[in-house]
Amino acid sequence: MARRPMGRVSIRNLRAHKVRLILTVLSVILGTAFVTGSYVFTDTLKSSFTGIFNDAYKGIATHVEPAHSYDAGIPFADLATIRRVPGVDRVAPGVERPAALVDSKGTKVASGGAPSVADTWTVPADRIGDPTRFESGGPPTRSGQAVLNAGAAHKGHIRVGDRVRIVLSNRPVLTLTVSGIYRTKTESGGYIGVLLSPGQARQVLSDGRHYTSVDASAKPGVSEQELTARIAKVAPSGLTVETGTKLRDDTNAQIQTALSFVNYLLLAFGFIALIVGTFIIYNTFSMIVAQRLRELALLRAVGASRKQVRRSVLLEALFTGVIGSVLGIVGGVGLAIGLRELLNAFNVGLPSGSLLLRPRTLIVALVLGVGVTLLSAYIPARRASSIAPVEAMREEFALPSSSSSTRRTILGLALLVLGVVLTVLGATSSSTSHGSALIGAGLLGVGGAALMLSPVLARIVIPPIGWVAGRPFGRPGTLAPANAVRNPRRTAATAFALTLGLLIVSGISVIGASAKGSVEHLFDNNVRADLVLTAGQQGTVPQPAIDAAAKQSGVGSMTQFHLAFGLLDGAEEAGSGIDGPLPAVLALPAVSGSIAPVGNNLVASESKARERGWKIGSMHTLTHPGVGSVRLKLVGIYQDSQLAGAWLVSGATYRALTPANERAAEVGLIRIAPGADLSQVQSRVEKATNPYYVVSVDTRTQFKGQIAAQVNTLLGLLYALLALAIVIAILGIINTLALSVVERRREIGMMRAVGMMRRQVRRTIYLESFLIAVFGALLGLALGIVYGVLFTKLLKDQGLDVLVIPWTQALAFLVVAGIVGVLAALWPGVRAARTPPLAAIVDA
Amino acid sequence: MTTTTTQIAARAVDLVKTYGSGGTTVQALNGVNVELVRGEFTAIMGPSGSGKSTLMHCLAGLDSVSSGSVSIGDAELSGLSDNKMTALRRDRIGFVFQSFNLVPTLTALENITLPMDLAGRKPDREWLDTVVDTLGIRDRLGHRPSELSGGQQQRVACARALASQPDIVFGDEPTGNLDSRSSAEVLGILRSSVDRLGQTVVVVTHDPRAAAYADRVLFLADGDIVNEMRDPTEARVLDLMKNMED
C-alpha cells in the first residue's frame, strides 16, 4: 500500500490544483495539437496525392514528354515508332490542354487550385493500368461526346446526357454531350478532367501535329529501364524519355515541396505555442511549489529525501505532460480534419483520403509535449527540493530565487549587438537573398535579445504607460504598474507570446501593405488603359474573346500581352509578345533606341540587356524547339518595369513560335475612343466576351481593387496567426496573474483590511494585465515594423518600391492587445477580489 | 484631552462565532458581551484557542459573526454589504497587524496615506505632520518597507492606523515580531495616542508586559470573557493568568 508515498502525494496534488493544471494542460495541448495537426495534415495530403498519381500512372513503364513546356511535343508519326519498339505493350498518347468547364446552366465549374483540363479518351485497347470505371454512362464514341470525372460532375450537378461547354484558349467555345461519368480511384476535391473522343481531341486540343505526352507499358519480362532505353533511342530529339518510376518520384517530390510550406507554417504555430507553453508550465509549477513550501518542508522533515521531493514534483509534470500531449494529439487530428474542411470550403480542392497518423507524429508530439513540460518544471522542482526541513517550522517563507539578471542582461546586450550588426550588414547588402538571410539572422538575434532584455525594458516602459493609464483610477492605478514590474522576468515571459505574435503579424502586414501600395502605385503611374481583360489567376483570355472585344464600338485600341517563352540564344527566357499599340496603355520610358516591339524587333529591359550584354543593333535567335525559330534585332532598351517584364517581341513573332491551338492573351488592355463613355464601353465589351465565360472586364479602379483583395486574402492568413498568439497570450496572462494573486494573498488581504474595495482590487489586476499585454504588444509592434520596413526595402528590386506602414492597423493591434489583457485578467481579478481581509493575518 | 470617556466606541452583544459545520463545529465565541470605551486603551488576553483573536476580528469587521451583534460607534456591522463594511474599515478603523502591514511597492508615506488614497480623500496635512513627528519617522517617509527595520515598519503601520483619525485602532499582536526595545516604542506610541490624542485602542496580546500599557484588560477563556482588570501592572496580569490556569 504505502510503497510509493511520494507518488501518492503527486497524484493528490494534481487533484488539488485542478484549475491551475487545466491551464498548463491547455498550453501543452495547444503546442502538441499544432505539431500533430501539421504532420497529420501534410502526411495525409501527401499520401492521398501519392495515391492519386500512383493510380493515374499505374503500369506506366516509360513516359515521353517534351523537354520544355513550350516545345511542340511528340509528332503524331512517332506514336507508331514507339509502338514498334520491341517490348512495348500498350501506348497511350495524351493531348492535354487547360480548359474551363461550363455546366448546362452556363456557370463555370470552379476547380480551386486543382487542374482543370481537357484530354483525350484512351480507348480500352490502349489503356494502361486498370480499366476506367464508370459511375454512369459510357465512353465517348464520336465527336461531340465527352466523359467527365465524378468529382467535377457532382460539383456542377452534371448528369449523363447533359450538354456542357468547354472553353479553350484559341477556339470557339465547344459544346459537348456528356456520355459518361468516370471514377478515379481517389477523387481529388477540385480536379476537373474532361475526356474527348480521340478524333475530336486531336482535332481541337492538339496543334494538329503533336501529342503533349505519350505513355507506354512494358510486355512481361521487359524492365522499365530496358524499355525506356529502347524508346529513348528511337525518340526524336528534344523529348524527355523517362521511366514510370522517375515520373512518379518526380511528381511525389513536387507534392512534398508544395506541401512543405503548409507543414512549416503549422509547425511554426506549434513551436510558438510550445515556447510560450514553457513559460506557462514554469509559472504553474513555481506557483504550486510556492504554495506547498511548508508541506514540502514537512515532507523533508519527516524523512523525504531531496531526490524524492524533486521527483514528486517532476512526477506531477510527467502526468501533466502525458495528459496534455495525448489530448493534444487528439486535438491535432481534429485540427487536420478542420483545416481540410476549411480549405475545401474555399474550393481549394484537396483529396479526401483517410487520415494518416504516422508513428513519427505520435513520437514527436509526445516527446515534445512531455519533454517541454518536464524541462519547464525542472527548475521549480529543484527549488522545491532545496527547501530545508526546518522551514516547516518557520512563520515566513521566502522562495530562494535564482537571480542572474546581470548575466542575462549582458547576454541580451551581446545578442542585441550581434543582431543589429547582422541586420545592418543585411540591409546594406546588394544581394537580395544574402540580405534577407542576414536580416533574418539579425532578427533572430534581436528577437532573442528582446526576450533577454525585456525584464529591463519592462521596468523602463511600463511605469510611464502605467502612470498615464492608471491616473483615472487613483491609488489602485499606481499600484498596478508597480505590481507589473515587481517580477519583471515573469512579466517579460508572459508578454512574450504577444511580442512574438505581433512581431510576425506586424512585420508581414508592413510587407503586405507595401506590396499593395506598390502595385497600386505601379498601376496608377504606368497603366493608361481604361479597361483590363483577364481570366482569373492562372487562366488566359481566349483569343476569340479578345478579337470580339476589340471590335466593339467605343474601343479605341486593344493591346494584348502574350506569354512568350523560349530559348533566347540558347538560354531559357520568359518575356511577352505584344499586339497593338504599347504607349497607349503602358508608360514605358526608353533608355535608348525605339521601343516598338513590331516585326522582328526585340526590345529589352535595362537590367536584362546589361545581364546578357545585349547592345542596340545586335541580332538574337528565339527558338521554340519543334516549332521554329525567329531572328530578332534588338532595337530598344527600356527602363525596368514590373509590368513589361524582361523583354518584348511582336505579336507576329509570338504567333510564329506558338502553335495556333495554344495562342491566348495573358491580358488585354483597352483604351477607349475619345468621347466614348467608359461604362457603356465596359458593358459592350462584357457582352462580347460573355460567351467565353472566363473573361472578366474591369476598369482600372476595379482591377486595382482585385489586386488589393488578393493581397488581403493572403494577409487574412495572418489573422489566424494573430488569433493563435492571442489565445496563447491569454492562457499565459491568466496563469501569471493567478500566480501573482496567490503570492500576494496576504498583501491583498491586508489592503482589503485597511479599506480596499473589491472593485479596486479587480481594477488593480485588470490594469496590471493591461500593462503586461500592452508592453508585449508594443515590443512586438516595434520590432515587427522595423523589420517589416527593412525587408520591404530589401525587396525594392522585386517591385516593393513603395513603403507603406499600416499605422491604423498597428494601432488596432495594440488596442486588441489591451482588450486581451483585460479579458485575461477577468478571472484572476475576481479571484483576487474574493481574498478575505483575514488573509492578511491568518492562513484563511 | 478628551471628555467623552464614557461613550462607547465598539460594542458586542451576545456575540457567537462558530467554525465548521455538522459534527466538527467549533464554537470560538460563546455569546460574548463587551463594550469598549472611547478614549481607552484596552488589551484582550487569553490562552491559545481562547477566542481572543476571533473576538478582535469580529469587532473590527474582518470576520462575519454567527449570531449576536457588533457595532462600531453607532454603526451596526451585521448585515452590512462587503462594500459598506470595507468603507467602514477604511474610514473608521485603524489596523496594526503582527506582520505584513505594509505594501512593499509603496513608500512609507504612501503606505500611511493608503486608506485615504483608496477613499480618494486628501489627508489632513497638519494632522499627518503631527502623527509623523510624534512617531519620529519623518526621515523614513520616502523609503520602501524593505529598507526599514521591523520596529520602523511597525511605527509606519501605527502612523497609518492613526493618520485617518479613526474611531478605533485595533492591534493584533502588534509587537509579536519585535524585540523588547521596539516593542516598548510601539506600545508607547499607542499609549500616548490615547493619552494625548484621545484615540481608542484595542490590542490583542499574550504578553503581560504589553497588557500593562492598557487602561483595562479583558481575559478570555473558552470563547467568553472570564475576567477583567483595570489599571493593570505586569505582575498583577501574570498573577491573574496563573490563577486562571489553576
Side-chain angles (χ1 to χ4, degrees), chain A residues 396 475-476 479 482-483 486 746-747 750-760 837-838 840-842, chain B residues 57 62-63 82-83 86-87 89-90 95 97 99-106 110 114-115 117-118 160 172:
Chain A
E396 307 269 327
R475 178 54 73 201
L479 281 170
N483 284 337
R486 228 155 127 170
R746 294 195 80 171
E747 180 185 323
M750 189 272 295
M751 289 197 282
R752 292 274 292 127
V754 304
M756 188 179 243
M757 299 282 182
R758 282 189 174 153
R759 59 168 185 274
Q760 289 176 315
L838 270 185
I841 308 163
V842 291
Chain B
H57 297 161
L62 290 173
D63 206 350
D82 184 80
N83 278 346
T86 306
R89 284 197 305 268
R90 183 185 72 198
F95 287 99
F97 302 120
S99 58
F100 262 93
N101 259 309
L102 306 177
V103 181
T105 47
L106 298 179
E110 286 166 340
L114 179 61
D117 290 339
L118 286 173
R160 180 189 63 207
D172 186 13

Side-chain angles (χ1 to χ4, degrees), chain A residues 502 504-514 516 711-712 714-719 722 777 781 785 804-817:
Chain A
L502 284 181
I504 298 171
V505 172
S506 61
I508 299 181
S509 69
V510 168
I511 298 174
S514 299
K516 212 155 68 177
V711 177
N712 284 342
L714 249 131
L715 290 179
L717 261 179
L718 281 184
Y719 293 106
L722 183 67
L781 280 175
I785 290 174
V804 180
I805 299 176
W807 291 113
T808 336
Q809 215 174 10
L811 191 72
F813 289 155
L814 196 61
V815 170
V816 167

